[in-house]
Amino acid sequence: MKSIRGRLFLILMITTGLVWLSAIGWIYLSTQAKVEKVLDARLVEAARMVSSLVASQGMDPAKAAEFHVAIAEPHPLYDRQLSCQIWAFDGTLVGRSSGAPGTPLTETDEGFSETRVHGETWRVYAVADAERGMRVMVGDNLSVRDRLVADVIRGLALPAIVALLALSGLIWFSVGRGLAPLNAMARALANRPASDLSPLTQTGSPSEIRPMVDALNGLFARVGALRQRERDFTAFAAHELKTPIAGLRTQAQIALGAGEGDVRGNALEQIVVGVDRTSRLIRQLTDLTNAENGDEAGQGETVNPGQMLELLADDIRRHKTGSVAISIAPELHETTLAADPFLFSLAARNLLENAAMHSTQGGRVRCTLHRQDDSATVMFEDDGPGIPDDELSKVRDRFFRGRNKTPMGSGLGLAIAELAMKRMGGALHIANRDEGGLRTEMEFRLSVKNDT
Amino acid sequence: MRILIVEDDEVLIDGLKVGLGLAGFTVDAVETCADAAAALHASTFDAVVLDLMLPDGSGLDVLAEMRQRDDATPVLLLTARDSVADRVSGLDAGADDYLGKPFDLDEVAARLRALTRRSTGNASAILRWKSFQLDPASMSVSDAGRPLRLSRREFSILRALMDRPGQILSKTQLEERLYGWQEDVESNTIEVHIHNLRGKLGPGRIETVRGVGYRLAESGA
């Protein structure tokens, strides 16, 4: 059911109908009981009256039976409802009222019983007069009783149905009125341009809608913040790209103008460095966007860190001319981490590149695994200059390049690693080693993976 | 002419050093605000090329500190942030000119020449003294219309002297204007260049003020 109005209408109509139906059922049952009681009392009374007439006034029993019918003046609709028979103990029919059957209304000697005579059910009361050897039987046709009850119910149900119809119209209209604020909100939202992320007004909105307005406003605020962040990021990225491009242009101009071999050669070399660095910067910008806006981290995916690091190390060795040895501890190959492979590779690649770039010529980068009860940590150690202590708090900022930067550095590597680790539910730790150089750690929680 | 470049992109620094060097400037470069402040305290420059986004702060801080010290060295801001608002705030902070990245190398050189010209009070782009004409842009010198062939160093010395005719420049001042920090200066190189210059300009043009330095001779032919 798509429409709230239709849904509410249906619910209200069904519940109202059910309440009314059960009320009618109740009235039916209680009316039936009451009618039975009253009519039974009348049967008893009639039987006693006929019996006493026959006894005390010596009335002809045949006449007495007729008399009874006469005093119980019937309603035309319910006529012929009572039949009276007077039987002698020996089984001869002494007298009967008109319309009463010729056969005994009951086999019972005394009291109430129900019998079927000529296909109709009779409720019969019998009184025995032992002195005169006579038995008086007064019977009531049950179908007449049922008709009486049915008439009472019909009298009730008809106005109920009419009222229910009127009620349905009222309910339909009222629900529509009740939902008017919702429609007003929908109209306000529908007319909004995409750029308008201002909060909806709270004033005048009913308390039931307020949580939704609050939730919507919260969403607007989040979307607005996200959009602002993206705008800032684009502007920042554009600025960051301008500097290397300025360098490239300057070097290209020198190469064009310089006739001398040395100057030209140096300029061209610088252009190659500049292009490499700019393409790395662009790749990292893409990585950052992917890490930030990518699909939710896949559940249940696993990574073999050793295998992944081996691939990344190969790639770095191929692109880096310097001779830096990257060693990957064997236990990294023997473990499996529950992590998104793409995010893992983003974080690991940037940390590994960082370590390799900062290593001295002929240096060594070590990748090791440290397991604890509730966490597994992939550790990268280099023997480069490390990070000055006062810069440790800033190195995760985007585009921050400290004093120990490398020519290829963009100031994005650690920011990407941090973001990717957060997305995987892990943490990035950065510290200077006592022996000199930097240690970075990718810490993964081993407890049940939260699906955040 | 000695220029300080404050910029943290190595490819760009190299390009500016080489490019401006070819245009006749002596170029020193630093990468941080701290180094820039130290360099500005230690030496005098004819102009400063300043980037705004530096690893340890904003170039505007360096600029503010300079101006607070009454250091009137012309400053050319060279930055990626080149919206009108950025330009205005840069110029208001005391910069003399503004150039957005990426830029043309020749334009940087031309603007630097214009800045130094203005700071020395010369209206014309071409320096004139007696029958000599010196064009900083084309790095050419002529004597009564006859072109003279000078080396880069000789040109720089003559230019320094012609910037303020009559003013005495010490040997150290000349060295500072001629050489960057990385270059080794032999003790008698200035003398050698002056000697060669005298030979090309003719006798009596450059006067030695004993114990002080050199200046263009007021009298003489």
Side-chain angles (χ1 to χ4, degrees), chain A residues 243 251 253-254 277 405 407, chain B residues 9 11 14-15 31 101 105:
Chain A
T243 299
Q251 296 288 359
Q253 248 185 310
I254 293 168
R277 216 187 64 206
K405 68 193 165 66
Chain B
D9 184 278
V11 174
D14 181 88
E31 299 189 15
K101 289 175 186 173
L105 194 52

Side-chain angles (χ1 to χ4, degrees), chain B residues 138-154:
Chain B
S138 61
M139 291 179 71
S140 60
V141 181
S142 61
D143 178 13
R146 182 177 53 90
L148 298 179
R149 287 182 60 86
L150 302 187
S151 75
R152 207 157 68 85
R153 305 290 192 205
E154 291 160 6

Side-chain angles (χ1 to χ4, degrees), chain A residues 157-179:
Chain A
L158 209 67
I161 286 166
V162 173
L164 211 60
L165 281 175
L167 205 59
S168 71
L170 284 172
I171 286 176
W172 183 252
F173 176 73
S174 317
V175 168
R177 284 302 301 266
L179 291 175

